[in-house]
Amino acid sequence: MSNIVERKISDLIVKIERPNCIGSKNCINAAPDLFELDDEQICSFNENTEGISREIIVEACSVCPVSALYVFDESGKQVVP
Ligand code: SF4
């Protein structure tokens, strides 16, 4: 898997900087439908992330302790962190 993966969900772009992830699972506890740990114990997107609300996305990405998760709105403005 590439080191940086991103996906458009709801009206947001979510980006995972995989090299930064320490596998703490804070994001997964906040949004188990959005993220999972892969075989390398690094955060990745769940297969189906349709319909996850903006609030859940922002909350789940805000609890990452190491700045591995970034969120941008449609205009490209950074929302998280
Ligand atoms: S909260 Fe951050 S460090 Fe923890 S699993 Fe998620 S992306 Fe990785």
Side-chain angles (χ1 to χ4, degrees):
M1 189 178 288
S2 135
N3 276 343
I4 299 171
V5 290
E6 66 177 49
R7 186 180 290 183
K8 186 170 192 302
I9 307 168
S10 180
D11 59 348
L12 298 171
I13 305 286
V14 181
K15 186 164 91 169
I16 309 173
E17 297 238 14
R18 290 171 44 84
N20 292 354
C21 176
I22 57 169
S24 69
K25 294 176 83 170
N26 299 29
C27 61
I28 295 162
N29 292 335
D33 292 338
L34 177 57
F35 297 119
E36 63 183 5
L37 290 188
D38 68 8
D39 295 344
E40 301 169 68
Q41 301 300 301
I42 295 176
C43 182
S44 60
F45 289 112
N46 268 337
E47 200 168 321
N48 182 4
T49 52
E50 278 176 41
I52 297 175
S53 74
R54 182 186 174 104
E55 289 72 24
I56 296 280
I57 292 167
V58 169
E59 185 192 333
C61 293
S62 298
V63 295
C64 178
V66 292
S67 298
L69 300 172
Y70 293 80
V71 182
F72 301 87
D73 71 12
E74 276 178 317
S75 71
K77 180 170 167 262
Q78 190 166 327
V79 179
V80 179

